[in-house]
Amino acid sequence: MNSIGEQCKKFKDDYDACFNAWFSDKFLKGETNNSLCEPLFKVYQECVKKVMKEQNIELQEIEKDLLGTNSERKPPSKKS
Amino acid sequence: MKIWTSEHTFNHPWETVATAAWRKYPNPHNPAVIGTDVLDRKVVDGVLHTHRLVSTKWGFPRWAQALIGSAKICYASEKSEVNPSVKKMILKTVNLTFCRYVAVDETLCYTPHPTDPSKTLLKQEAVVTVQGVPLNNYMEDLLTNKISLNAGKGRQAMEWVICKLNAEVKDFTKSTDEILNHTKKSIDDITSSAKKSMDDISQKAMKSLDDMQPLRQKF
């Protein structure tokens, strides 16, 4: 499976292999400690975040809470 | 806005389906998905939370591309939760690329089948909203049809992965034996070569001692 960055592919493959093994052999059997693949995840993360920045892929737009904050659009106040 | 829902039963236990769901791509049944990247992943109170960025190539008809833009690669944000204690896996996907006009919110939920726990029930829902472009109602129909078609492909894709997983498990048992045998053999090799070199060393040491004897006699 591809990554958004060609240079991250190797890190992704290593991490995915670790995660898949952890998921079926540990997590589904009740072990919730996920530190096993953490070092591989960190390396992969740094690579992906860098590429996302370069390609201007923004996630904040959908992550942001608007309703109930000051940025929520209010109906225009009626002119009296 | 169009809402589309569907249910499907997999003849496999929940654990198998949940494992396969992570490994769904790359998949010949769904070549539109070209990449997935994990952005965040943590376990909170025994529940695995994952945020992924999914890259897809959607082939829209040319006239539709003229209306919504011909984004070659679309990105979607997928958030999921896996709760192994109640056996529930839920994935929610929101598209990021044509946020201006088109919103596709999709939810997939995998649980054991209520009447047969050896099977897994998939509930799928998609909400399609197209705003601010001409023919938006027609566009919504078009997208909803596309999702319906893709859902069928998605199920085939899952069956394909499960089949591959089962084959891997068989392979794995075989290769574990191979690895163990191989390891045992290499340990034997190491032991014998270590023994051999120890013998060599002691022989050489003896020999040099012998060599030194005549030297000592000289002085």
Side-chain angles (χ1 to χ4, degrees):
Chain A
M1 182 86 283
N2 289 329
S3 168
I4 48 163
E6 195 52 48
Q7 66 267 48
C8 310
K9 173 101 173 71
K10 173 81 180 72
F11 303 132
K12 179 193 155 58
D13 287 348
D14 288 347
Y15 169 71
D16 277 353
C18 182
F19 171 79
N20 288 331
W22 172 82
F23 184 79
S24 48
D25 296 344
K26 307 268 179 190
F27 185 69
L28 289 183
K29 289 173 183 160
E31 198 186 308
T32 55
N33 182 351
N34 66 337
S35 58
L36 182 72
C37 309
E38 206 56 29
L40 291 171
F41 186 56
K42 274 202 179 127
V43 180
Y44 166 46
Q45 275 306 282
E46 274 170 30
C47 188
V48 169
K49 297 247 154 91
K50 204 170 142 239
V51 174
M52 282 179 71
K53 222 173 185 179
E54 283 166 7
Q55 298 190 4
N56 288 319
I57 302 168
E58 289 280 344
L59 289 172
Q60 283 90 327
E61 213 173 305
I62 56 152
E63 300 293 297
K64 230 171 22 188
D65 285 322
L66 288 175
L67 298 180
T69 68
N70 287 337
S71 354
E72 182 183 345
R73 289 203 188 173
K74 299 274 169 15
S77 53
K78 278 180 190 158
K79 283 175 192 162
S80 50
Chain B
M1 188 172 92
K2 292 269 149 68
I3 300 173
W4 173 89
T5 57
S6 146
E7 279 191 8
H8 178 74
T9 305
F10 289 101
N11 287 325
H12 306 280
W14 180 82
E15 285 80 1
T16 308
V17 176
T19 304
W22 288 124
R23 302 173 58 167
K24 196 168 163 187
Y25 308 110
N27 199 307
H29 294 284
N30 208 336
V33 177
I34 53 164
T36 53
D37 278 301
V38 181
L39 302 174
D40 191 32
R41 183 170 263 157
K42 55 183 183 272
V43 180
V44 181
D45 299 328
V47 178
L48 176 72
H49 296 257
T50 307
H51 185 189
R52 290 201 300 184
L53 180 73
V54 181
S55 322
T56 51
K57 260 187 185 167
W58 282 59
F60 277 114
R62 204 161 277 268
W63 65 267
Q65 286 184 16
L67 295 174
I68 57 171
S70 64
K72 270 196 174 164
I73 294 175
C74 307
Y75 297 103
S77 161
E78 175 206 81
K79 287 193 171 175
S80 61
E81 287 180 24
V82 185
N83 188 338
S85 54
V86 295
K87 297 193 179 182
K88 188 173 179 178
M89 179 179 202
I90 186 157
L91 303 106
K92 290 183 184 180
T93 313
V94 181
N95 69 317
L96 292 171
T97 317
F98 0 75
C99 283
R100 270 174 70 200
Y101 307 122
V102 187
V104 183
D105 297 348
E106 193 192 38
T107 306
L108 296 176
C109 183
Y110 297 100
T111 49
H113 198 279
T115 56
D116 185 352
S118 69
K119 294 177 180 174
T120 304
L121 182 67
L122 163 67
K123 281 187 190 171
Q124 202 170 354
E125 185 190 88
V127 180
V128 179
T129 321
V130 179
Q131 275 173 339
V133 290
L135 303 168
N136 64 352
N137 196 41
Y138 187 69
M139 293 278 292
E140 282 179 353
D141 280 342
L142 188 87
L143 273 167
T144 313
N145 284 340
K146 188 116 192 165
I147 287 167
S148 180
L149 190 78
N150 279 346
K153 283 190 209 161
R155 285 169 212 143
Q156 280 178 301
M158 285 292 286
E159 291 290 355
W160 182 81
V161 179
I162 291 166
C163 183
K164 209 173 76 162
L165 278 178
N166 288 340
E168 245 175 54
V169 170
K170 269 182 217 143
D171 242 27
F172 189 65
T173 2
K174 193 172 143 241
S175 59
T176 314
D177 286 347
E178 269 169 24
I179 290 166
L180 282 175
N181 267 333
H182 188 78
T183 315
K184 202 168 159 283
K185 199 171 159 283
S186 8
I187 288 175
D188 288 348
D189 280 356
I190 290 168
T191 322
S192 68
S193 57
K195 200 166 163 282
K196 198 164 158 277
S197 46
M198 281 303 282
D199 287 350
D200 274 3
I201 290 170
S202 41
Q203 254 178 17
K204 281 202 179 116
M206 282 276 273
K207 196 168 167 286
S208 40
L209 264 175
D210 290 347
D211 285 351
M212 272 163 78
Q213 291 295 345
L215 275 174
R216 203 184 274 166
Q217 278 169 358
K218 268 192 188 163
F219 291 102

